[in-house]
Each structure stands twice: as C-alpha cells, then as structure tokens.
Amino acid sequence: MSINSTDYLAQLENEAIYILRETAAQFEKPALLFSGGKDSIVLVHLALKAFRPGKFPFPLVHVDTGHNFPEAIAFRDYLTQKIGEKLIVADVEKSIKKYNLEETKGRFPSRNALQTYALLDVIEENEFDACIGGARRDEEKARAKERIFSVRDDFGQWDPKLQRPELWDILNGKVQKGNNVRVFPISNWTELDIWNYIQKNNIELPSLYFAHDRECIVHQDKLVATSKFIQPLPGDVVVNQKVRYRTVGDMTCTAAVPSQAATIQDIIDDIIITRVSERGQTRLDDLLSEAAMEDRKKQGYF
C-alpha cells in the first residue's frame, strides 16, 4: 500500500469518526445496526476509535432474519462479547407471526423485505431517533441517492426526492418527533477501501469471507450454497468448490464466488480486477427488478 493510499484511508477514517461523534452529539437515542458482515465490523472498529476508552453511546442492533449464515451469527456474538457492548436482536420470525406476513415465494426466497417490520418495531420499542449503518454508495445505485444523514418519516419511509443538502460537511440532525434518521458514516468508501482498511488495521472477520470448500447449487451461473433452507432437487447441478463470499445476506439468496483467496491481500488483488459490484454479483434478490433495492428502501428497509 502506498503512502498516498494510506493517507486516503486516514481521511476516510477521520470523516467516519466525525460522523459517528456528530450522531452521538445530535441525537438522543442512536443505535448501530450490526449484521456481523465486513462493513458493520468496520463500523464497530471505527466506533472503538471514536469513543474508547468510554462505552459506546449506543447499543448494537441486529435484525436477525433467521436465514443468516451461522458463521456471521457466531462472529456477531463473539465480537459483541469481546468489546463488552450491548446487543439487541430484532427477530424477523416474530414479525412474520405478529403481522401474519407472507414470505417470498420461489426457490431462493429472501426475507430482506420482511426485515423492515422487525427494524421499525425495534426502532419504536427503543425510541431510537437515529440508526447507523454500513451502507456504501458503490454497493447499489439506490444507496448512491442517500445523504449521510438520511431522514425517514413517521412510518419509516424514505423519499429520495426529499433529501437535505449537506454542504461543507455540515450535518443537520434536526427532525420532527416520530421521524428517524439513517446515518451512513462509510458512505464515501468503496469495497476496495473497506478491504484496504481491514488489512491496515488487522481487523478480524468471519471465515466465510475467505476461500473454503462448500457444496453449491449452480443457478443461473451463480453458486448458491446448500443448507437446511435449500436442498438440491433432481436435475440440479451440484458442485463442491472452493468459494468465498463478497457480502453476507440471507443464505437463501446470497451467492458465493469461486475463489482461491486465502488472505486479505488475495481478496484485494481479486477486487482490483473485478468489474461487477458485490451485490450485483452475489445478491439474487437485487436481480428481481432494476429498482428492487429502492422499492424496499422506500418502505423502510435500511
């Protein structure tokens, strides 16, 4: 890594720490959304730099779909115990029963849309006025429309046409009672920035980000791991292959990528030559329509 790239990472880090501290200063009850994925792990690391030796001025919140990778859940519990911070788990299974929700049909169903109900419930129950998340603008085009402080209305809904200007890095956290703000401290980071930062700071990650052997079903040129949720059917092409995951979502709708990358430097080298975004390559639910993510966000999805 060159001196210039190291300086650039320091600038991104300083910006993110500034946003985290502004969130703690401007809001009464913020929360940090934590999935056990690489972006939210980096957020936790940034929060440690922003607030230690004190405790976090917010709890960690995980919206558990019930379809998570076991490695991500295990790492979530390991990290929260290691840093000694409070973890609140919002259960999508409970929301499905509470609201009699209908799950997505099809071979590879996603519960992403259903996460909205659990998220809005945990926001209301705990009176959170801001939720910090690890979304990045390069992930998906709908996320590129967000501001750093992105306001949601009383029903948790987002209107991309009603975004506040954020001139000269001035963040406006004033909201009407009942409104909620989604905060994106790493919005200006790229996937490559994330991995360079992980390498620079020697940040621990779940094992599924690195190459490992896994049984997968070949579906539309994508590799979907077999699990208790998805079993091979007659006619399926099933392979045992060395793969890794670029992003962590539901096991039912997140594809793996063929890879021999055993180290962070290997992953960085892979990303440099990759021309497809992580969600575009691996998230089956984002392929339902060109506006799939934006439609979910308008309804309250993170």
Side-chain angles (χ1 to χ4, degrees), residues 91-107:
D91 191 345
V92 172
E93 291 276 5
K94 291 182 179 178
S95 296
I96 291 172
K97 295 176 182 177
K98 177 180 177 181
Y99 297 107
N100 194 27
L101 301 176
E102 184 175 347
E103 298 202 46
T104 304
K105 300 291 192 297
R107 179 77 188 281

Side-chain angles (χ1 to χ4, degrees), residues 8-297:
Y8 177 58
L9 288 178
Q11 291 175 15
L12 290 174
E13 178 186 77
N14 290 337
E15 177 189 49
I17 288 173
Y18 161 71
I19 294 166
L20 287 169
R21 289 173 174 167
E22 280 295 301
T23 303
Q26 295 194 40
F27 296 96
E28 294 183 4
K29 297 194 69 176
L32 190 154
L33 300 186
F34 179 63
S35 66
K38 67 182 186 307
D39 298 318
S40 62
I41 292 169
V42 166
L43 271 186
V44 168
H45 183 85
L46 290 164
L48 289 170
K49 288 197 172 189
F51 301 112
R52 284 293 190 258
K55 299 283 286 183
F56 288 0
F58 40 67
L60 306 183
V61 174
H62 180 218
V63 180
D64 187 349
T65 66
H67 289 175
N68 302 90
F69 286 91
E71 296 94 332
I73 296 297
F75 192 89
R76 176 200 73 183
D77 296 339
Y78 158 75
L79 185 58
T80 51
Q81 183 176 14
K82 178 182 178 181
I83 64 177
E85 296 293 343
K86 181 180 180 181
L87 173 68
I88 298 172
V89 178
D91 191 345
V92 172
E93 291 276 5
K94 291 182 179 178
S95 296
I96 291 172
K97 295 176 182 177
K98 177 180 177 181
Y99 297 107
N100 194 27
L101 301 176
E102 184 175 347
E103 298 202 46
T104 304
K105 300 291 192 297
R107 179 77 188 281
F108 304 103
S110 168
R111 285 184 167 180
N112 275 339
L114 303 184
Q115 289 184 69
T116 300
Y117 295 88
L119 175 59
L120 295 181
D121 277 353
V122 77
I123 288 172
E124 183 177 5
E125 290 164 8
N126 293 275
E127 298 181 336
F128 294 133
D129 51 1
C131 291
I132 306 162
R136 307 186 324 269
R137 287 176 179 165
D138 72 323
E139 285 182 274
E140 204 276 341
K141 58 187 178 182
R143 285 183 165 164
K145 298 179 182 180
E146 296 272 18
R147 297 293 190 265
I148 300 297
F149 278 11
S150 183
V151 180
R152 302 305 202 264
D153 66 18
D154 294 12
F155 301 98
Q157 297 177 332
W158 171 68
D159 186 344
K161 296 179 181 179
L162 297 178
Q163 295 287 291
R164 295 174 173 178
E166 292 177 337
L167 305 176
W168 306 292
D169 295 328
I170 296 174
L171 303 174
N172 180 4
K174 292 183 179 180
V175 294
Q176 297 179 358
K177 186 174 179 58
N179 287 2
N180 182 270
V181 171
R182 308 293 166 84
V183 179
F184 302 107
I186 59 172
S187 181
N188 289 327
W189 298 43
T190 66
E191 182 185 13
L192 185 58
D193 295 331
I194 289 290
W195 283 105
N196 279 326
Y197 189 79
I198 288 169
Q199 182 181 58
K200 177 184 176 183
N201 291 275
N202 195 28
I203 297 174
E204 292 182 89
L205 294 172
S207 59
L208 51 75
Y209 281 109
F210 301 93
H212 58 282
D213 293 315
R214 196 176 284 259
E215 182 183 77
C216 299
I217 298 168
V218 180
H219 172 72
Q220 296 180 356
D221 297 325
K222 298 187 184 299
L223 298 172
V224 183
T226 59
S227 65
K228 65 180 181 180
F229 308 111
I230 298 176
Q231 292 294 312
L233 297 177
D236 279 344
V237 176
V238 180
V239 296
N240 286 285
Q241 193 163 340
K242 195 168 286 292
V243 300
R244 69 176 180 88
Y245 285 88
R246 291 181 68 186
T247 181
V248 177
D250 283 359
M251 294 185 70
T252 54
C253 63
T254 304
V257 295
S259 179
Q260 299 292 325
T263 67
I264 293 175
Q265 186 58 54
D266 292 339
I267 294 172
I268 290 171
D269 293 340
D270 276 356
I271 295 171
I272 288 173
I273 61 174
T274 299
R275 293 295 176 264
V276 183
S277 71
E278 57 196 284
R279 293 190 70 97
Q281 185 178 21
T282 65
R283 297 297 284 270
L284 302 180
D285 53 329
D286 284 351
L287 303 179
L288 296 175
S289 75
E290 290 188 0
M293 170 65 82
E294 184 164 327
D295 291 341
R296 293 198 300 269
K297 289 171 72 65

